[in-house]
Amino acid sequence: VVVIEAETVQIGCIPHGKPKPRITWSKREGSIPWSHLKLFNESVITMEQVSRKHTGLYVCSADNGIGRPALGAVYVRVLHAPEVEVPKRRVHGGVHYKAQLICIVHADPKPEVSA
């Protein structure tokens, strides 16, 4: 699922089984950003005001205690404007010493970065 930053996205899974399975959600890379998130029922998640932190693989697990849980997955990709992160605000240098300036750019799609 591809969504633009600040939009709303809804993902879900449809479990089957007797007795009725219990649904749980997890995210493969890190934790689910629970802010701006609504659960209409166990099987549907609505994420409002998405940001780049919502990008990732969401896994739905259905378990009714019989056999192994069934798994389903949805990858959410959030397209967003570039964000610049500067790990070190100060860099010390001097005559005849090299100084390395680093900035990390987060964006999707990949931005053009120039110095």
Side-chain angles (χ1 to χ4, degrees):
V1 174
V2 179
V3 65
I4 296 173
E5 183 177 37
E7 290 186 343
T8 297
V9 65
Q10 191 173 64
I11 60 174
C13 62
I14 302 170
H16 300 284
K18 290 192 184 201
K20 183 180 175 185
R22 180 175 175 271
I23 305 300
T24 56
W25 285 92
S26 60
K27 188 175 177 211
R28 285 286 158 102
E29 305 88 24
S31 60
I32 294 177
W34 291 105
S35 62
H36 304 292
L37 189 124
K38 292 181 182 177
L39 285 170
F40 282 118
N41 56 48
E42 291 179 331
S43 62
V44 178
I45 293 177
T46 300
M47 294 178 265
E48 298 175 336
Q49 295 290 315
V50 294
S51 70
R52 70 180 174 88
K53 294 178 182 171
H54 289 89
T55 293
L57 186 66
Y58 291 80
V59 178
C60 170
S61 175
D63 188 4
N64 65 1
I66 300 172
R68 292 185 178 180
L71 302 175
V74 178
Y75 188 83
V76 174
R77 177 181 174 196
V78 179
L79 304 179
H80 60 92
E83 296 175 26
V84 177
E85 178 185 340
V86 180
K88 292 184 180 181
R89 297 246 179 238
R90 291 182 183 220
V91 176
H92 299 284
V95 178
H96 305 294
Y97 287 95
K98 291 183 180 180
Q100 186 177 24
L101 306 176
I102 299 172
C103 74
I104 301 167
V105 180
H106 303 278
D108 191 353
K110 187 176 177 179
E112 181 179 317
V113 178
S114 58

PDB file of all heavy atoms in Angstrom, residues 15-47:
ATOM      1  N   PRO A  15      -9.789 -12.998   8.926  1.00  0.00           N
ATOM      2  CA  PRO A  15      -9.500 -14.328   9.468  1.00  0.00           C
ATOM      3  C   PRO A  15     -10.704 -15.265   9.356  1.00  0.00           C
ATOM      4  O   PRO A  15     -11.854 -14.829   9.362  1.00  0.00           O
ATOM      5  CB  PRO A  15      -9.206 -14.020  10.940  1.00  0.00           C
ATOM      6  CG  PRO A  15     -10.053 -12.823  11.229  1.00  0.00           C
ATOM      7  CD  PRO A  15     -10.094 -12.023   9.952  1.00  0.00           C
ATOM      8  N   HIS A  16     -10.414 -16.552   9.210  1.00  0.00           N
ATOM      9  CA  HIS A  16     -11.444 -17.588   9.181  1.00  0.00           C
ATOM     10  C   HIS A  16     -11.034 -18.694  10.142  1.00  0.00           C
ATOM     11  O   HIS A  16      -9.852 -18.965  10.303  1.00  0.00           O
ATOM     12  CB  HIS A  16     -11.592 -18.170   7.770  1.00  0.00           C
ATOM     13  CG  HIS A  16     -11.983 -17.170   6.749  1.00  0.00           C
ATOM     14  ND1 HIS A  16     -13.256 -16.681   6.618  1.00  0.00           N
ATOM     15  CD2 HIS A  16     -11.248 -16.531   5.808  1.00  0.00           C
ATOM     16  CE1 HIS A  16     -13.303 -15.805   5.635  1.00  0.00           C
ATOM     17  NE2 HIS A  16     -12.093 -15.692   5.124  1.00  0.00           N
ATOM     18  N   GLY A  17     -11.981 -19.323  10.769  1.00  0.00           N
ATOM     19  CA  GLY A  17     -11.683 -20.452  11.647  1.00  0.00           C
ATOM     20  C   GLY A  17     -12.743 -20.616  12.713  1.00  0.00           C
ATOM     21  O   GLY A  17     -13.507 -19.701  13.005  1.00  0.00           O
ATOM     22  N   LYS A  18     -12.808 -21.839  13.264  1.00  0.00           N
ATOM     23  CA  LYS A  18     -13.713 -22.141  14.373  1.00  0.00           C
ATOM     24  C   LYS A  18     -12.908 -22.851  15.436  1.00  0.00           C
ATOM     25  O   LYS A  18     -12.272 -23.858  15.132  1.00  0.00           O
ATOM     26  CB  LYS A  18     -14.875 -23.002  13.884  1.00  0.00           C
ATOM     27  CG  LYS A  18     -15.810 -22.230  13.008  1.00  0.00           C
ATOM     28  CD  LYS A  18     -17.081 -22.981  12.758  1.00  0.00           C
ATOM     29  CE  LYS A  18     -17.902 -22.142  11.792  1.00  0.00           C
ATOM     30  NZ  LYS A  18     -19.261 -22.393  11.770  1.00  0.00           N
ATOM     31  N   PRO A  19     -12.889 -22.342  16.628  1.00  0.00           N
ATOM     32  CA  PRO A  19     -13.525 -21.110  17.065  1.00  0.00           C
ATOM     33  C   PRO A  19     -12.909 -19.885  16.385  1.00  0.00           C
ATOM     34  O   PRO A  19     -11.826 -19.960  15.813  1.00  0.00           O
ATOM     35  CB  PRO A  19     -13.287 -21.089  18.566  1.00  0.00           C
ATOM     36  CG  PRO A  19     -12.141 -22.010  18.811  1.00  0.00           C
ATOM     37  CD  PRO A  19     -12.144 -23.000  17.692  1.00  0.00           C
ATOM     38  N   LYS A  20     -13.629 -18.769  16.478  1.00  0.00           N
ATOM     39  CA  LYS A  20     -13.188 -17.529  15.832  1.00  0.00           C
ATOM     40  C   LYS A  20     -11.794 -17.139  16.334  1.00  0.00           C
ATOM     41  O   LYS A  20     -11.549 -17.106  17.537  1.00  0.00           O
ATOM     42  CB  LYS A  20     -14.178 -16.412  16.146  1.00  0.00           C
ATOM     43  CG  LYS A  20     -13.849 -15.113  15.472  1.00  0.00           C
ATOM     44  CD  LYS A  20     -14.861 -14.037  15.829  1.00  0.00           C
ATOM     45  CE  LYS A  20     -14.415 -12.712  15.215  1.00  0.00           C
ATOM     46  NZ  LYS A  20     -15.287 -11.620  15.627  1.00  0.00           N
ATOM     47  N   PRO A  21     -10.856 -16.864  15.414  1.00  0.00           N
ATOM     48  CA  PRO A  21      -9.485 -16.533  15.824  1.00  0.00           C
ATOM     49  C   PRO A  21      -9.386 -15.147  16.471  1.00  0.00           C
ATOM     50  O   PRO A  21     -10.151 -14.251  16.163  1.00  0.00           O
ATOM     51  CB  PRO A  21      -8.696 -16.539  14.514  1.00  0.00           C
ATOM     52  CG  PRO A  21      -9.602 -17.032  13.463  1.00  0.00           C
ATOM     53  CD  PRO A  21     -10.991 -16.976  13.969  1.00  0.00           C
ATOM     54  N   ARG A  22      -8.416 -15.026  17.349  1.00  0.00           N
ATOM     55  CA  ARG A  22      -8.060 -13.743  17.946  1.00  0.00           C
ATOM     56  C   ARG A  22      -6.986 -13.118  17.064  1.00  0.00           C
ATOM     57  O   ARG A  22      -6.049 -13.792  16.657  1.00  0.00           O
ATOM     58  CB  ARG A  22      -7.525 -13.966  19.360  1.00  0.00           C
ATOM     59  CG  ARG A  22      -7.142 -12.681  20.060  1.00  0.00           C
ATOM     60  CD  ARG A  22      -6.726 -12.969  21.519  1.00  0.00           C
ATOM     61  NE  ARG A  22      -6.249 -11.766  22.131  1.00  0.00           N
ATOM     62  CZ  ARG A  22      -4.975 -11.363  22.104  1.00  0.00           C
ATOM     63  NH1 ARG A  22      -4.058 -12.097  21.509  1.00  0.00           N
ATOM     64  NH2 ARG A  22      -4.618 -10.238  22.700  1.00  0.00           N
ATOM     65  N   ILE A  23      -7.115 -11.831  16.770  1.00  0.00           N
ATOM     66  CA  ILE A  23      -6.197 -11.127  15.873  1.00  0.00           C
ATOM     67  C   ILE A  23      -5.234 -10.260  16.669  1.00  0.00           C
ATOM     68  O   ILE A  23      -5.641  -9.543  17.588  1.00  0.00           O
ATOM     69  CB  ILE A  23      -6.978 -10.215  14.899  1.00  0.00           C
ATOM     70  CG1 ILE A  23      -8.028 -10.997  14.130  1.00  0.00           C
ATOM     71  CG2 ILE A  23      -6.032  -9.479  13.959  1.00  0.00           C
ATOM     72  CD1 ILE A  23      -7.488 -12.121  13.302  1.00  0.00           C
ATOM     73  N   THR A  24      -3.957 -10.326  16.313  1.00  0.00           N
ATOM     74  CA  THR A  24      -2.962  -9.411  16.863  1.00  0.00           C
ATOM     75  C   THR A  24      -2.138  -8.850  15.710  1.00  0.00           C
ATOM     76  O   THR A  24      -1.962  -9.502  14.679  1.00  0.00           O
ATOM     77  CB  THR A  24      -2.023 -10.095  17.880  1.00  0.00           C
ATOM     78  OG1 THR A  24      -1.399 -11.217  17.254  1.00  0.00           O
ATOM     79  CG2 THR A  24      -2.775 -10.537  19.113  1.00  0.00           C
ATOM     80  N   TRP A  25      -1.656  -7.630  15.885  1.00  0.00           N
ATOM     81  CA  TRP A  25      -0.845  -6.963  14.863  1.00  0.00           C
ATOM     82  C   TRP A  25       0.548  -6.700  15.411  1.00  0.00           C
ATOM     83  O   TRP A  25       0.725  -6.407  16.589  1.00  0.00           O
ATOM     84  CB  TRP A  25      -1.476  -5.627  14.476  1.00  0.00           C
ATOM     85  CG  TRP A  25      -2.685  -5.757  13.615  1.00  0.00           C
ATOM     86  CD1 TRP A  25      -3.978  -5.829  14.038  1.00  0.00           C
ATOM     87  CD2 TRP A  25      -2.717  -5.838  12.189  1.00  0.00           C
ATOM     88  NE1 TRP A  25      -4.812  -5.946  12.959  1.00  0.00           N
ATOM     89  CE2 TRP A  25      -4.072  -5.948  11.811  1.00  0.00           C
ATOM     90  CE3 TRP A  25      -1.744  -5.822  11.190  1.00  0.00           C
ATOM     91  CZ2 TRP A  25      -4.469  -6.038  10.474  1.00  0.00           C
ATOM     92  CZ3 TRP A  25      -2.137  -5.916   9.871  1.00  0.00           C
ATOM     93  CH2 TRP A  25      -3.480  -6.029   9.525  1.00  0.00           C
ATOM     94  N   SER A  26       1.528  -6.785  14.525  1.00  0.00           N
ATOM     95  CA  SER A  26       2.896  -6.421  14.878  1.00  0.00           C
ATOM     96  C   SER A  26       3.534  -5.777  13.654  1.00  0.00           C
ATOM     97  O   SER A  26       2.982  -5.820  12.557  1.00  0.00           O
ATOM     98  CB  SER A  26       3.700  -7.645  15.318  1.00  0.00           C
ATOM     99  OG  SER A  26       3.763  -8.597  14.275  1.00  0.00           O
ATOM    100  N   LYS A  27       4.677  -5.168  13.868  1.00  0.00           N
ATOM    101  CA  LYS A  27       5.413  -4.532  12.764  1.00  0.00           C
ATOM    102  C   LYS A  27       6.808  -5.129  12.755  1.00  0.00           C
ATOM    103  O   LYS A  27       7.458  -5.231  13.794  1.00  0.00           O
ATOM    104  CB  LYS A  27       5.461  -3.018  12.978  1.00  0.00           C
ATOM    105  CG  LYS A  27       6.031  -2.261  11.816  1.00  0.00           C
ATOM    106  CD  LYS A  27       5.934  -0.757  12.048  1.00  0.00           C
ATOM    107  CE  LYS A  27       6.579  -0.042  10.888  1.00  0.00           C
ATOM    108  NZ  LYS A  27       7.178   1.213  11.306  1.00  0.00           N
ATOM    109  N   ARG A  28       7.290  -5.540  11.589  1.00  0.00           N
ATOM    110  CA  ARG A  28       8.590  -6.220  11.493  1.00  0.00           C
ATOM    111  C   ARG A  28       9.752  -5.313  11.884  1.00  0.00           C
ATOM    112  O   ARG A  28      10.647  -5.729  12.582  1.00  0.00           O
ATOM    113  CB  ARG A  28       8.820  -6.753  10.070  1.00  0.00           C
ATOM    114  CG  ARG A  28       8.012  -7.979   9.766  1.00  0.00           C
ATOM    115  CD  ARG A  28       8.606  -9.193  10.481  1.00  0.00           C
ATOM    116  NE  ARG A  28       7.635 -10.241  10.636  1.00  0.00           N
ATOM    117  CZ  ARG A  28       7.565 -11.318   9.894  1.00  0.00           C
ATOM    118  NH1 ARG A  28       8.417 -11.506   8.934  1.00  0.00           N
ATOM    119  NH2 ARG A  28       6.636 -12.210  10.124  1.00  0.00           N
ATOM    120  N   GLU A  29       9.771  -4.099  11.385  1.00  0.00           N
ATOM    121  CA  GLU A  29      10.881  -3.181  11.665  1.00  0.00           C
ATOM    122  C   GLU A  29      10.428  -2.200  12.744  1.00  0.00           C
ATOM    123  O   GLU A  29       9.777  -1.217  12.449  1.00  0.00           O
ATOM    124  CB  GLU A  29      11.303  -2.388  10.419  1.00  0.00           C
ATOM    125  CG  GLU A  29      11.660  -3.239   9.221  1.00  0.00           C
ATOM    126  CD  GLU A  29      10.455  -3.570   8.348  1.00  0.00           C
ATOM    127  OE1 GLU A  29       9.459  -2.830   8.364  1.00  0.00           O
ATOM    128  OE2 GLU A  29      10.509  -4.592   7.654  1.00  0.00           O
ATOM    129  N   GLY A  30      10.771  -2.469  13.983  1.00  0.00           N
ATOM    130  CA  GLY A  30      10.406  -1.565  15.065  1.00  0.00           C
ATOM    131  C   GLY A  30       9.004  -1.827  15.571  1.00  0.00           C
ATOM    132  O   GLY A  30       8.422  -2.882  15.344  1.00  0.00           O
ATOM    133  N   SER A  31       8.461  -0.848  16.256  1.00  0.00           N
ATOM    134  CA  SER A  31       7.141  -1.018  16.852  1.00  0.00           C
ATOM    135  C   SER A  31       6.087  -0.244  16.067  1.00  0.00           C
ATOM    136  O   SER A  31       6.400   0.681  15.324  1.00  0.00           O
ATOM    137  CB  SER A  31       7.163  -0.551  18.307  1.00  0.00           C
ATOM    138  OG  SER A  31       7.530   0.808  18.360  1.00  0.00           O
ATOM    139  N   ILE A  32       4.853  -0.626  16.261  1.00  0.00           N
ATOM    140  CA  ILE A  32       3.744   0.064  15.594  1.00  0.00           C
ATOM    141  C   ILE A  32       3.603   1.447  16.218  1.00  0.00           C
ATOM    142  O   ILE A  32       3.526   1.571  17.440  1.00  0.00           O
ATOM    143  CB  ILE A  32       2.431  -0.729  15.747  1.00  0.00           C
ATOM    144  CG1 ILE A  32       2.532  -2.062  14.997  1.00  0.00           C
ATOM    145  CG2 ILE A  32       1.241   0.079  15.244  1.00  0.00           C
ATOM    146  CD1 ILE A  32       1.322  -2.954  15.149  1.00  0.00           C
ATOM    147  N   PRO A  33       3.583   2.502  15.393  1.00  0.00           N
ATOM    148  CA  PRO A  33       3.381   3.851  15.938  1.00  0.00           C
ATOM    149  C   PRO A  33       1.913   4.039  16.316  1.00  0.00           C
ATOM    150  O   PRO A  33       1.072   4.334  15.468  1.00  0.00           O
ATOM    151  CB  PRO A  33       3.809   4.766  14.788  1.00  0.00           C
ATOM    152  CG  PRO A  33       3.703   3.940  13.565  1.00  0.00           C
ATOM    153  CD  PRO A  33       3.832   2.503  13.969  1.00  0.00           C
ATOM    154  N   TRP A  34       1.582   3.824  17.578  1.00  0.00           N
ATOM    155  CA  TRP A  34       0.190   3.791  18.009  1.00  0.00           C
ATOM    156  C   TRP A  34      -0.489   5.150  17.995  1.00  0.00           C
ATOM    157  O   TRP A  34      -1.711   5.231  18.025  1.00  0.00           O
ATOM    158  CB  TRP A  34       0.075   3.143  19.387  1.00  0.00           C
ATOM    159  CG  TRP A  34       0.384   1.687  19.326  1.00  0.00           C
ATOM    160  CD1 TRP A  34       1.523   1.080  19.752  1.00  0.00           C
ATOM    161  CD2 TRP A  34      -0.437   0.649  18.766  1.00  0.00           C
ATOM    162  NE1 TRP A  34       1.463  -0.279  19.496  1.00  0.00           N
ATOM    163  CE2 TRP A  34       0.264  -0.563  18.886  1.00  0.00           C
ATOM    164  CE3 TRP A  34      -1.693   0.624  18.172  1.00  0.00           C
ATOM    165  CZ2 TRP A  34      -0.243  -1.777  18.454  1.00  0.00           C
ATOM    166  CZ3 TRP A  34      -2.201  -0.593  17.736  1.00  0.00           C
ATOM    167  CH2 TRP A  34      -1.473  -1.768  17.886  1.00  0.00           C
ATOM    168  N   SER A  35       0.284   6.243  17.941  1.00  0.00           N
ATOM    169  CA  SER A  35      -0.374   7.546  17.851  1.00  0.00           C
ATOM    170  C   SER A  35      -1.005   7.655  16.465  1.00  0.00           C
ATOM    171  O   SER A  35      -0.473   7.139  15.480  1.00  0.00           O
ATOM    172  CB  SER A  35       0.627   8.673  18.076  1.00  0.00           C
ATOM    173  OG  SER A  35       1.630   8.657  17.094  1.00  0.00           O
ATOM    174  N   HIS A  36      -2.124   8.306  16.374  1.00  0.00           N
ATOM    175  CA  HIS A  36      -2.881   8.475  15.126  1.00  0.00           C
ATOM    176  C   HIS A  36      -3.366   7.133  14.565  1.00  0.00           C
ATOM    177  O   HIS A  36      -3.509   6.979  13.362  1.00  0.00           O
ATOM    178  CB  HIS A  36      -2.059   9.201  14.050  1.00  0.00           C
ATOM    179  CG  HIS A  36      -1.537  10.522  14.484  1.00  0.00           C
ATOM    180  ND1 HIS A  36      -2.353  11.584  14.728  1.00  0.00           N
ATOM    181  CD2 HIS A  36      -0.290  10.952  14.740  1.00  0.00           C
ATOM    182  CE1 HIS A  36      -1.629  12.611  15.107  1.00  0.00           C
ATOM    183  NE2 HIS A  36      -0.369  12.247  15.133  1.00  0.00           N
ATOM    184  N   LEU A  37      -3.606   6.160  15.432  1.00  0.00           N
ATOM    185  CA  LEU A  37      -4.027   4.841  14.975  1.00  0.00           C
ATOM    186  C   LEU A  37      -5.364   4.479  15.613  1.00  0.00           C
ATOM    187  O   LEU A  37      -5.579   4.737  16.792  1.00  0.00           O
ATOM    188  CB  LEU A  37      -2.963   3.810  15.370  1.00  0.00           C
ATOM    189  CG  LEU A  37      -3.168   2.433  14.784  1.00  0.00           C
ATOM    190  CD1 LEU A  37      -1.926   2.020  14.021  1.00  0.00           C
ATOM    191  CD2 LEU A  37      -3.439   1.456  15.884  1.00  0.00           C
ATOM    192  N   LYS A  38      -6.249   3.899  14.811  1.00  0.00           N
ATOM    193  CA  LYS A  38      -7.554   3.467  15.317  1.00  0.00           C
ATOM    194  C   LYS A  38      -7.776   2.013  14.932  1.00  0.00           C
ATOM    195  O   LYS A  38      -7.423   1.602  13.834  1.00  0.00           O
ATOM    196  CB  LYS A  38      -8.674   4.300  14.703  1.00  0.00           C
ATOM    197  CG  LYS A  38      -8.693   5.734  15.135  1.00  0.00           C
ATOM    198  CD  LYS A  38      -9.857   6.463  14.483  1.00  0.00           C
ATOM    199  CE  LYS A  38      -9.876   7.920  14.871  1.00  0.00           C
ATOM    200  NZ  LYS A  38     -10.943   8.650  14.201  1.00  0.00           N
ATOM    201  N   LEU A  39      -8.375   1.258  15.843  1.00  0.00           N
ATOM    202  CA  LEU A  39      -8.777  -0.111  15.556  1.00  0.00           C
ATOM    203  C   LEU A  39     -10.302  -0.133  15.504  1.00  0.00           C
ATOM    204  O   LEU A  39     -10.957   0.110  16.510  1.00  0.00           O
ATOM    205  CB  LEU A  39      -8.300  -1.072  16.649  1.00  0.00           C
ATOM    206  CG  LEU A  39      -6.831  -1.429  16.679  1.00  0.00           C
ATOM    207  CD1 LEU A  39      -6.494  -2.177  17.959  1.00  0.00           C
ATOM    208  CD2 LEU A  39      -6.454  -2.265  15.482  1.00  0.00           C
ATOM    209  N   PHE A  40     -10.878  -0.376  14.308  1.00  0.00           N
ATOM    210  CA  PHE A  40     -12.326  -0.480  14.221  1.00  0.00           C
ATOM    211  C   PHE A  40     -12.777  -1.809  14.806  1.00  0.00           C
ATOM    212  O   PHE A  40     -13.770  -1.926  15.468  1.00  0.00           O
ATOM    213  CB  PHE A  40     -12.806  -0.345  12.771  1.00  0.00           C
ATOM    214  CG  PHE A  40     -12.805   1.075  12.308  1.00  0.00           C
ATOM    215  CD1 PHE A  40     -11.998   1.463  11.263  1.00  0.00           C
ATOM    216  CD2 PHE A  40     -13.597   2.023  12.919  1.00  0.00           C
ATOM    217  CE1 PHE A  40     -11.987   2.770  10.834  1.00  0.00           C
ATOM    218  CE2 PHE A  40     -13.603   3.336  12.506  1.00  0.00           C
ATOM    219  CZ  PHE A  40     -12.792   3.711  11.450  1.00  0.00           C
ATOM    220  N   ASN A  41     -12.039  -2.838  14.513  1.00  0.00           N
ATOM    221  CA  ASN A  41     -12.170  -4.141  15.137  1.00  0.00           C
ATOM    222  C   ASN A  41     -10.767  -4.732  15.078  1.00  0.00           C
ATOM    223  O   ASN A  41      -9.855  -4.080  14.595  1.00  0.00           O
ATOM    224  CB  ASN A  41     -13.236  -5.004  14.432  1.00  0.00           C
ATOM    225  CG  ASN A  41     -12.956  -5.166  12.956  1.00  0.00           C
ATOM    226  OD1 ASN A  41     -11.839  -5.474  12.566  1.00  0.00           O
ATOM    227  ND2 ASN A  41     -13.953  -4.950  12.126  1.00  0.00           N
ATOM    228  N   GLU A  42     -10.595  -5.909  15.566  1.00  0.00           N
ATOM    229  CA  GLU A  42      -9.242  -6.469  15.593  1.00  0.00           C
ATOM    230  C   GLU A  42      -8.596  -6.585  14.225  1.00  0.00           C
ATOM    231  O   GLU A  42      -7.390  -6.510  14.094  1.00  0.00           O
ATOM    232  CB  GLU A  42      -9.264  -7.862  16.231  1.00  0.00           C
ATOM    233  CG  GLU A  42      -9.554  -7.887  17.692  1.00  0.00           C
ATOM    234  CD  GLU A  42      -9.576  -9.309  18.221  1.00  0.00           C
ATOM    235  OE1 GLU A  42      -9.907 -10.238  17.463  1.00  0.00           O
ATOM    236  OE2 GLU A  42      -9.250  -9.486  19.389  1.00  0.00           O
ATOM    237  N   SER A  43      -9.394  -6.785  13.186  1.00  0.00           N
ATOM    238  CA  SER A  43      -8.813  -7.091  11.884  1.00  0.00           C
ATOM    239  C   SER A  43      -8.543  -5.881  10.998  1.00  0.00           C
ATOM    240  O   SER A  43      -7.935  -6.027   9.949  1.00  0.00           O
ATOM    241  CB  SER A  43      -9.692  -8.099  11.139  1.00  0.00           C
ATOM    242  OG  SER A  43     -10.965  -7.557  10.906  1.00  0.00           O
ATOM    243  N   VAL A  44      -8.966  -4.684  11.388  1.00  0.00           N
ATOM    244  CA  VAL A  44      -8.755  -3.488  10.555  1.00  0.00           C
ATOM    245  C   VAL A  44      -8.072  -2.395  11.368  1.00  0.00           C
ATOM    246  O   VAL A  44      -8.525  -2.037  12.446  1.00  0.00           O
ATOM    247  CB  VAL A  44     -10.093  -2.957   9.996  1.00  0.00           C
ATOM    248  CG1 VAL A  44      -9.867  -1.702   9.179  1.00  0.00           C
ATOM    249  CG2 VAL A  44     -10.788  -4.019   9.151  1.00  0.00           C
ATOM    250  N   ILE A  45      -6.966  -1.879  10.825  1.00  0.00           N
ATOM    251  CA  ILE A  45      -6.241  -0.765  11.438  1.00  0.00           C
ATOM    252  C   ILE A  45      -6.366   0.444  10.516  1.00  0.00           C
ATOM    253  O   ILE A  45      -6.139   0.337   9.317  1.00  0.00           O
ATOM    254  CB  ILE A  45      -4.745  -1.090  11.616  1.00  0.00           C
ATOM    255  CG1 ILE A  45      -4.535  -2.197  12.627  1.00  0.00           C
ATOM    256  CG2 ILE A  45      -3.966   0.150  12.035  1.00  0.00           C
ATOM    257  CD1 ILE A  45      -3.081  -2.609  12.778  1.00  0.00           C
ATOM    258  N   THR A  46      -6.706   1.591  11.093  1.00  0.00           N
ATOM    259  CA  THR A  46      -6.712   2.852  10.352  1.00  0.00           C
ATOM    260  C   THR A  46      -5.633   3.738  10.942  1.00  0.00           C
ATOM    261  O   THR A  46      -5.619   3.993  12.148  1.00  0.00           O
ATOM    262  CB  THR A  46      -8.082   3.545  10.439  1.00  0.00           C
ATOM    263  OG1 THR A  46      -9.063   2.679   9.875  1.00  0.00           O
ATOM    264  CG2 THR A  46      -8.076   4.857   9.675  1.00  0.00           C
ATOM    265  N   MET A  47      -4.714   4.198  10.080  1.00  0.00           N
ATOM    266  CA  MET A  47      -3.652   5.097  10.512  1.00  0.00           C
ATOM    267  C   MET A  47      -3.917   6.467   9.907  1.00  0.00           C
ATOM    268  O   MET A  47      -4.002   6.600   8.686  1.00  0.00           O
ATOM    269  CB  MET A  47      -2.288   4.573  10.070  1.00  0.00           C
ATOM    270  CG  MET A  47      -1.896   3.275  10.741  1.00  0.00           C
ATOM    271  SD  MET A  47      -0.312   2.630  10.167  1.00  0.00           S
ATOM    272  CE  MET A  47      -0.872   1.493   8.912  1.00  0.00           C
TER     273      MET A  47
END
